[in-house]
Amino acid sequence: MDTKREYTLSELIQESAENSNENDFFELEKPAMLEVNLKNQKIMAKAGSMVAYVGNIDFKREGMLSKGLGGLLKKAISGEGTRLMYAKGTGKLYLADEGKKVKIIKLQNESIFVNGNDVLAIDENIRNDIKMLKSVAGMMSGGLFQVKLSGSGYIAITTHGEPLLLRVSASQPVYTDPNATVAWSQNLSPNIKTNLTFGSFIGRGSGESLQMEFFGEGWVLVQPYEEVKYAQKS
């Protein structure tokens, strides 16, 4: 753990400077910052996540998860109406989302489901499909929607703190708080479990009364934080 309390200016520059020796397409520049090295390429990123760029990069807002991540979300009334943007051109693009940790995944003809709010960036070669959790309870929990990302290419997701991966088996289902659930394997399809007793309305009333239940064989990624989403006005 870094216990240094003060820096000289040269020390700050040395520690905080980008690593110019790495030039992967998606690169973890800092634990909470993604560097995207664009070479006449296009990506989709969470709107508002751009913190800096160098070069010739154009941006285009796309509204609430429209087109590139499914027109269905234009009609969504959820609090997770994540707004997106396209970034296209040549240069270095730096992305971050409220100090959350960034995880880069390189899919190799694979698929993964991600909570829509936790998608930071995807390259244009990744196919995507969005589905709302078809449950009244799901809407009560914030209208959770899942993004299926498939194919070969880079994606970047975010988590509050270091996530925990839980194994799911036929004999051992896993139950998670919807607001702490980040991602899960392609062969799992979660259900919403309700426990709406009188006591469930006391306290936070999130994961205590509504849970996502995972059956089958696979894994679930959870974060040590309940990220409650609030409805956004279009």
Side-chain angles (χ1 to χ4, degrees), residues 150-178:
S150 306
S152 297
Y154 286 93
I155 67 174
I157 65 175
T158 56
T159 65
H160 283 280
E162 287 297 331
L164 172 68
L165 188 143
L166 300 173
R167 295 289 182 179
V168 181
S169 67
S171 60
Q172 186 64 59
V174 171
Y175 302 88
T176 65
D177 184 327

PDB file of all heavy atoms in Angstrom, residues 150-178:
ATOM      1  N   SER A 150     -20.832 -10.400 -27.771  1.00  0.00           N
ATOM      2  CA  SER A 150     -20.391 -11.636 -28.403  1.00  0.00           C
ATOM      3  C   SER A 150     -19.396 -11.373 -29.528  1.00  0.00           C
ATOM      4  O   SER A 150     -19.423 -10.314 -30.154  1.00  0.00           O
ATOM      5  CB  SER A 150     -21.596 -12.398 -28.986  1.00  0.00           C
ATOM      6  OG  SER A 150     -22.592 -12.608 -28.029  1.00  0.00           O
ATOM      7  N   GLY A 151     -18.551 -12.373 -29.774  1.00  0.00           N
ATOM      8  CA  GLY A 151     -17.634 -12.299 -30.908  1.00  0.00           C
ATOM      9  C   GLY A 151     -16.189 -12.290 -30.475  1.00  0.00           C
ATOM     10  O   GLY A 151     -15.821 -12.863 -29.440  1.00  0.00           O
ATOM     11  N   SER A 152     -15.362 -11.631 -31.267  1.00  0.00           N
ATOM     12  CA  SER A 152     -13.936 -11.530 -30.983  1.00  0.00           C
ATOM     13  C   SER A 152     -13.535 -10.066 -30.985  1.00  0.00           C
ATOM     14  O   SER A 152     -13.760  -9.355 -31.962  1.00  0.00           O
ATOM     15  CB  SER A 152     -13.123 -12.296 -32.035  1.00  0.00           C
ATOM     16  OG  SER A 152     -13.418 -13.682 -31.998  1.00  0.00           O
ATOM     17  N   GLY A 153     -12.959  -9.621 -29.897  1.00  0.00           N
ATOM     18  CA  GLY A 153     -12.567  -8.222 -29.772  1.00  0.00           C
ATOM     19  C   GLY A 153     -12.520  -7.802 -28.316  1.00  0.00           C
ATOM     20  O   GLY A 153     -12.707  -8.604 -27.398  1.00  0.00           O
ATOM     21  N   TYR A 154     -12.290  -6.508 -28.102  1.00  0.00           N
ATOM     22  CA  TYR A 154     -12.106  -5.981 -26.758  1.00  0.00           C
ATOM     23  C   TYR A 154     -13.395  -5.380 -26.195  1.00  0.00           C
ATOM     24  O   TYR A 154     -14.170  -4.740 -26.909  1.00  0.00           O
ATOM     25  CB  TYR A 154     -11.034  -4.893 -26.759  1.00  0.00           C
ATOM     26  CG  TYR A 154      -9.624  -5.404 -26.900  1.00  0.00           C
ATOM     27  CD1 TYR A 154      -9.026  -5.494 -28.156  1.00  0.00           C
ATOM     28  CD2 TYR A 154      -8.880  -5.776 -25.785  1.00  0.00           C
ATOM     29  CE1 TYR A 154      -7.720  -5.956 -28.289  1.00  0.00           C
ATOM     30  CE2 TYR A 154      -7.576  -6.229 -25.912  1.00  0.00           C
ATOM     31  CZ  TYR A 154      -7.009  -6.325 -27.160  1.00  0.00           C
ATOM     32  OH  TYR A 154      -5.722  -6.779 -27.286  1.00  0.00           O
ATOM     33  N   ILE A 155     -13.582  -5.578 -24.890  1.00  0.00           N
ATOM     34  CA  ILE A 155     -14.606  -4.864 -24.139  1.00  0.00           C
ATOM     35  C   ILE A 155     -13.971  -4.394 -22.832  1.00  0.00           C
ATOM     36  O   ILE A 155     -12.973  -4.952 -22.379  1.00  0.00           O
ATOM     37  CB  ILE A 155     -15.849  -5.736 -23.843  1.00  0.00           C
ATOM     38  CG1 ILE A 155     -15.487  -6.881 -22.873  1.00  0.00           C
ATOM     39  CG2 ILE A 155     -16.441  -6.292 -25.127  1.00  0.00           C
ATOM     40  CD1 ILE A 155     -16.686  -7.678 -22.421  1.00  0.00           C
ATOM     41  N   ALA A 156     -14.549  -3.340 -22.257  1.00  0.00           N
ATOM     42  CA  ALA A 156     -14.098  -2.855 -20.956  1.00  0.00           C
ATOM     43  C   ALA A 156     -15.315  -2.665 -20.073  1.00  0.00           C
ATOM     44  O   ALA A 156     -16.290  -2.036 -20.476  1.00  0.00           O
ATOM     45  CB  ALA A 156     -13.323  -1.544 -21.096  1.00  0.00           C
ATOM     46  N   ILE A 157     -15.269  -3.232 -18.879  1.00  0.00           N
ATOM     47  CA  ILE A 157     -16.357  -3.089 -17.924  1.00  0.00           C
ATOM     48  C   ILE A 157     -15.818  -2.425 -16.662  1.00  0.00           C
ATOM     49  O   ILE A 157     -14.592  -2.352 -16.467  1.00  0.00           O
ATOM     50  CB  ILE A 157     -17.014  -4.442 -17.593  1.00  0.00           C
ATOM     51  CG1 ILE A 157     -16.008  -5.368 -16.865  1.00  0.00           C
ATOM     52  CG2 ILE A 157     -17.533  -5.109 -18.862  1.00  0.00           C
ATOM     53  CD1 ILE A 157     -16.622  -6.682 -16.404  1.00  0.00           C
ATOM     54  N   THR A 158     -16.721  -1.935 -15.817  1.00  0.00           N
ATOM     55  CA  THR A 158     -16.291  -1.242 -14.606  1.00  0.00           C
ATOM     56  C   THR A 158     -16.933  -1.877 -13.379  1.00  0.00           C
ATOM     57  O   THR A 158     -18.028  -2.424 -13.427  1.00  0.00           O
ATOM     58  CB  THR A 158     -16.680   0.241 -14.652  1.00  0.00           C
ATOM     59  OG1 THR A 158     -18.098   0.371 -14.855  1.00  0.00           O
ATOM     60  CG2 THR A 158     -15.940   0.966 -15.767  1.00  0.00           C
ATOM     61  N   THR A 159     -16.219  -1.776 -12.255  1.00  0.00           N
ATOM     62  CA  THR A 159     -16.739  -2.270 -10.980  1.00  0.00           C
ATOM     63  C   THR A 159     -16.346  -1.304  -9.877  1.00  0.00           C
ATOM     64  O   THR A 159     -15.295  -0.665  -9.937  1.00  0.00           O
ATOM     65  CB  THR A 159     -16.183  -3.670 -10.634  1.00  0.00           C
ATOM     66  OG1 THR A 159     -14.764  -3.582 -10.424  1.00  0.00           O
ATOM     67  CG2 THR A 159     -16.480  -4.668 -11.737  1.00  0.00           C
ATOM     68  N   HIS A 160     -17.189  -1.211  -8.868  1.00  0.00           N
ATOM     69  CA  HIS A 160     -16.818  -0.488  -7.653  1.00  0.00           C
ATOM     70  C   HIS A 160     -15.954  -1.422  -6.817  1.00  0.00           C
ATOM     71  O   HIS A 160     -16.428  -2.431  -6.300  1.00  0.00           O
ATOM     72  CB  HIS A 160     -18.061  -0.091  -6.850  1.00  0.00           C
ATOM     73  CG  HIS A 160     -18.792   1.081  -7.404  1.00  0.00           C
ATOM     74  ND1 HIS A 160     -18.403   2.387  -7.193  1.00  0.00           N
ATOM     75  CD2 HIS A 160     -19.902   1.155  -8.171  1.00  0.00           C
ATOM     76  CE1 HIS A 160     -19.239   3.213  -7.790  1.00  0.00           C
ATOM     77  NE2 HIS A 160     -20.152   2.490  -8.399  1.00  0.00           N
ATOM     78  N   GLY A 161     -14.680  -1.125  -6.685  1.00  0.00           N
ATOM     79  CA  GLY A 161     -13.777  -1.993  -5.941  1.00  0.00           C
ATOM     80  C   GLY A 161     -13.437  -3.245  -6.727  1.00  0.00           C
ATOM     81  O   GLY A 161     -13.788  -3.393  -7.895  1.00  0.00           O
ATOM     82  N   GLU A 162     -12.732  -4.162  -6.068  1.00  0.00           N
ATOM     83  CA  GLU A 162     -12.336  -5.403  -6.724  1.00  0.00           C
ATOM     84  C   GLU A 162     -13.488  -6.396  -6.687  1.00  0.00           C
ATOM     85  O   GLU A 162     -14.016  -6.703  -5.618  1.00  0.00           O
ATOM     86  CB  GLU A 162     -11.106  -6.006  -6.035  1.00  0.00           C
ATOM     87  CG  GLU A 162      -9.815  -5.250  -6.322  1.00  0.00           C
ATOM     88  CD  GLU A 162      -9.452  -5.271  -7.801  1.00  0.00           C
ATOM     89  OE1 GLU A 162      -9.810  -6.240  -8.501  1.00  0.00           O
ATOM     90  OE2 GLU A 162      -8.813  -4.297  -8.257  1.00  0.00           O
ATOM     91  N   PRO A 163     -13.881  -6.931  -7.845  1.00  0.00           N
ATOM     92  CA  PRO A 163     -15.027  -7.837  -7.888  1.00  0.00           C
ATOM     93  C   PRO A 163     -14.672  -9.242  -7.397  1.00  0.00           C
ATOM     94  O   PRO A 163     -13.496  -9.607  -7.298  1.00  0.00           O
ATOM     95  CB  PRO A 163     -15.375  -7.851  -9.378  1.00  0.00           C
ATOM     96  CG  PRO A 163     -14.063  -7.631 -10.066  1.00  0.00           C
ATOM     97  CD  PRO A 163     -13.307  -6.678  -9.180  1.00  0.00           C
ATOM     98  N   LEU A 164     -15.708 -10.008  -7.120  1.00  0.00           N
ATOM     99  CA  LEU A 164     -15.576 -11.399  -6.692  1.00  0.00           C
ATOM    100  C   LEU A 164     -16.301 -12.282  -7.686  1.00  0.00           C
ATOM    101  O   LEU A 164     -17.449 -12.018  -8.046  1.00  0.00           O
ATOM    102  CB  LEU A 164     -16.181 -11.592  -5.295  1.00  0.00           C
ATOM    103  CG  LEU A 164     -16.288 -13.038  -4.786  1.00  0.00           C
ATOM    104  CD1 LEU A 164     -14.893 -13.607  -4.526  1.00  0.00           C
ATOM    105  CD2 LEU A 164     -17.138 -13.085  -3.517  1.00  0.00           C
ATOM    106  N   LEU A 165     -15.638 -13.349  -8.150  1.00  0.00           N
ATOM    107  CA  LEU A 165     -16.257 -14.289  -9.071  1.00  0.00           C
ATOM    108  C   LEU A 165     -16.761 -15.493  -8.292  1.00  0.00           C
ATOM    109  O   LEU A 165     -15.998 -16.139  -7.565  1.00  0.00           O
ATOM    110  CB  LEU A 165     -15.259 -14.726 -10.153  1.00  0.00           C
ATOM    111  CG  LEU A 165     -15.851 -15.578 -11.290  1.00  0.00           C
ATOM    112  CD1 LEU A 165     -15.200 -15.218 -12.619  1.00  0.00           C
ATOM    113  CD2 LEU A 165     -15.660 -17.070 -11.007  1.00  0.00           C
ATOM    114  N   LEU A 166     -18.050 -15.787  -8.432  1.00  0.00           N
ATOM    115  CA  LEU A 166     -18.683 -16.917  -7.760  1.00  0.00           C
ATOM    116  C   LEU A 166     -19.046 -17.981  -8.781  1.00  0.00           C
ATOM    117  O   LEU A 166     -19.642 -17.682  -9.819  1.00  0.00           O
ATOM    118  CB  LEU A 166     -19.952 -16.463  -7.023  1.00  0.00           C
ATOM    119  CG  LEU A 166     -19.754 -15.399  -5.941  1.00  0.00           C
ATOM    120  CD1 LEU A 166     -21.099 -14.914  -5.420  1.00  0.00           C
ATOM    121  CD2 LEU A 166     -18.922 -15.958  -4.788  1.00  0.00           C
ATOM    122  N   ARG A 167     -18.699 -19.225  -8.494  1.00  0.00           N
ATOM    123  CA  ARG A 167     -19.010 -20.336  -9.383  1.00  0.00           C
ATOM    124  C   ARG A 167     -20.444 -20.797  -9.170  1.00  0.00           C
ATOM    125  O   ARG A 167     -20.917 -20.892  -8.030  1.00  0.00           O
ATOM    126  CB  ARG A 167     -18.062 -21.507  -9.120  1.00  0.00           C
ATOM    127  CG  ARG A 167     -16.600 -21.204  -9.447  1.00  0.00           C
ATOM    128  CD  ARG A 167     -16.374 -21.104 -10.941  1.00  0.00           C
ATOM    129  NE  ARG A 167     -14.958 -20.870 -11.253  1.00  0.00           N
ATOM    130  CZ  ARG A 167     -14.497 -20.760 -12.492  1.00  0.00           C
ATOM    131  NH1 ARG A 167     -15.322 -20.874 -13.521  1.00  0.00           N
ATOM    132  NH2 ARG A 167     -13.212 -20.540 -12.703  1.00  0.00           N
ATOM    133  N   VAL A 168     -21.127 -21.084 -10.268  1.00  0.00           N
ATOM    134  CA  VAL A 168     -22.492 -21.598 -10.229  1.00  0.00           C
ATOM    135  C   VAL A 168     -22.468 -23.028 -10.743  1.00  0.00           C
ATOM    136  O   VAL A 168     -21.841 -23.317 -11.768  1.00  0.00           O
ATOM    137  CB  VAL A 168     -23.438 -20.754 -11.115  1.00  0.00           C
ATOM    138  CG1 VAL A 168     -24.860 -21.280 -11.041  1.00  0.00           C
ATOM    139  CG2 VAL A 168     -23.390 -19.291 -10.705  1.00  0.00           C
ATOM    140  N   SER A 169     -23.129 -23.937 -10.037  1.00  0.00           N
ATOM    141  CA  SER A 169     -23.204 -25.325 -10.478  1.00  0.00           C
ATOM    142  C   SER A 169     -24.642 -25.803 -10.347  1.00  0.00           C
ATOM    143  O   SER A 169     -25.488 -25.148  -9.724  1.00  0.00           O
ATOM    144  CB  SER A 169     -22.282 -26.218  -9.650  1.00  0.00           C
ATOM    145  OG  SER A 169     -22.732 -26.311  -8.312  1.00  0.00           O
ATOM    146  N   ALA A 170     -24.913 -26.970 -10.924  1.00  0.00           N
ATOM    147  CA  ALA A 170     -26.263 -27.520 -10.876  1.00  0.00           C
ATOM    148  C   ALA A 170     -26.705 -27.783  -9.438  1.00  0.00           C
ATOM    149  O   ALA A 170     -27.888 -27.661  -9.106  1.00  0.00           O
ATOM    150  CB  ALA A 170     -26.311 -28.815 -11.694  1.00  0.00           C
ATOM    151  N   SER A 171     -25.748 -28.119  -8.594  1.00  0.00           N
ATOM    152  CA  SER A 171     -26.076 -28.412  -7.189  1.00  0.00           C
ATOM    153  C   SER A 171     -25.929 -27.201  -6.285  1.00  0.00           C
ATOM    154  O   SER A 171     -26.299 -27.256  -5.114  1.00  0.00           O
ATOM    155  CB  SER A 171     -25.180 -29.544  -6.678  1.00  0.00           C
ATOM    156  OG  SER A 171     -23.811 -29.174  -6.750  1.00  0.00           O
ATOM    157  N   GLN A 172     -25.380 -26.111  -6.809  1.00  0.00           N
ATOM    158  CA  GLN A 172     -25.138 -24.935  -5.984  1.00  0.00           C
ATOM    159  C   GLN A 172     -25.499 -23.657  -6.733  1.00  0.00           C
ATOM    160  O   GLN A 172     -24.652 -23.009  -7.339  1.00  0.00           O
ATOM    161  CB  GLN A 172     -23.670 -24.871  -5.558  1.00  0.00           C
ATOM    162  CG  GLN A 172     -23.354 -23.748  -4.573  1.00  0.00           C
ATOM    163  CD  GLN A 172     -24.070 -23.917  -3.258  1.00  0.00           C
ATOM    164  OE1 GLN A 172     -23.901 -24.909  -2.568  1.00  0.00           O
ATOM    165  NE2 GLN A 172     -24.905 -22.954  -2.892  1.00  0.00           N
ATOM    166  N   PRO A 173     -26.793 -23.256  -6.727  1.00  0.00           N
ATOM    167  CA  PRO A 173     -27.172 -21.988  -7.352  1.00  0.00           C
ATOM    168  C   PRO A 173     -26.601 -20.815  -6.565  1.00  0.00           C
ATOM    169  O   PRO A 173     -26.207 -20.961  -5.400  1.00  0.00           O
ATOM    170  CB  PRO A 173     -28.699 -22.004  -7.292  1.00  0.00           C
ATOM    171  CG  PRO A 173     -29.022 -22.902  -6.144  1.00  0.00           C
ATOM    172  CD  PRO A 173     -27.941 -23.953  -6.131  1.00  0.00           C
ATOM    173  N   VAL A 174     -26.545 -19.669  -7.201  1.00  0.00           N
ATOM    174  CA  VAL A 174     -26.030 -18.455  -6.565  1.00  0.00           C
ATOM    175  C   VAL A 174     -27.093 -17.375  -6.622  1.00  0.00           C
ATOM    176  O   VAL A 174     -27.761 -17.193  -7.643  1.00  0.00           O
ATOM    177  CB  VAL A 174     -24.740 -17.968  -7.273  1.00  0.00           C
ATOM    178  CG1 VAL A 174     -24.321 -16.591  -6.757  1.00  0.00           C
ATOM    179  CG2 VAL A 174     -23.609 -18.971  -7.071  1.00  0.00           C
ATOM    180  N   TYR A 175     -27.266 -16.647  -5.519  1.00  0.00           N
ATOM    181  CA  TYR A 175     -28.241 -15.558  -5.416  1.00  0.00           C
ATOM    182  C   TYR A 175     -27.475 -14.262  -5.174  1.00  0.00           C
ATOM    183  O   TYR A 175     -26.603 -14.199  -4.308  1.00  0.00           O
ATOM    184  CB  TYR A 175     -29.213 -15.824  -4.274  1.00  0.00           C
ATOM    185  CG  TYR A 175     -29.961 -17.124  -4.421  1.00  0.00           C
ATOM    186  CD1 TYR A 175     -29.422 -18.311  -3.925  1.00  0.00           C
ATOM    187  CD2 TYR A 175     -31.195 -17.165  -5.073  1.00  0.00           C
ATOM    188  CE1 TYR A 175     -30.093 -19.513  -4.078  1.00  0.00           C
ATOM    189  CE2 TYR A 175     -31.876 -18.365  -5.226  1.00  0.00           C
ATOM    190  CZ  TYR A 175     -31.321 -19.538  -4.731  1.00  0.00           C
ATOM    191  OH  TYR A 175     -31.977 -20.721  -4.888  1.00  0.00           O
ATOM    192  N   THR A 176     -27.816 -13.233  -5.933  1.00  0.00           N
ATOM    193  CA  THR A 176     -27.080 -11.979  -5.814  1.00  0.00           C
ATOM    194  C   THR A 176     -28.024 -10.784  -5.713  1.00  0.00           C
ATOM    195  O   THR A 176     -29.172 -10.838  -6.144  1.00  0.00           O
ATOM    196  CB  THR A 176     -26.166 -11.754  -7.039  1.00  0.00           C
ATOM    197  OG1 THR A 176     -26.964 -11.578  -8.215  1.00  0.00           O
ATOM    198  CG2 THR A 176     -25.227 -12.935  -7.244  1.00  0.00           C
ATOM    199  N   ASP A 177     -27.506  -9.719  -5.143  1.00  0.00           N
ATOM    200  CA  ASP A 177     -28.207  -8.436  -5.123  1.00  0.00           C
ATOM    201  C   ASP A 177     -28.127  -7.849  -6.537  1.00  0.00           C
ATOM    202  O   ASP A 177     -27.033  -7.717  -7.095  1.00  0.00           O
ATOM    203  CB  ASP A 177     -27.517  -7.506  -4.127  1.00  0.00           C
ATOM    204  CG  ASP A 177     -28.235  -6.162  -3.966  1.00  0.00           C
ATOM    205  OD1 ASP A 177     -28.822  -5.670  -4.953  1.00  0.00           O
ATOM    206  OD2 ASP A 177     -28.181  -5.609  -2.862  1.00  0.00           O
ATOM    207  N   PRO A 178     -29.255  -7.482  -7.144  1.00  0.00           N
ATOM    208  CA  PRO A 178     -29.210  -6.916  -8.507  1.00  0.00           C
ATOM    209  C   PRO A 178     -28.282  -5.715  -8.625  1.00  0.00           C
ATOM    210  O   PRO A 178     -27.624  -5.529  -9.656  1.00  0.00           O
ATOM    211  CB  PRO A 178     -30.664  -6.523  -8.770  1.00  0.00           C
ATOM    212  CG  PRO A 178     -31.468  -7.418  -7.891  1.00  0.00           C
ATOM    213  CD  PRO A 178     -30.631  -7.609  -6.648  1.00  0.00           C
TER     214      PRO A 178
END
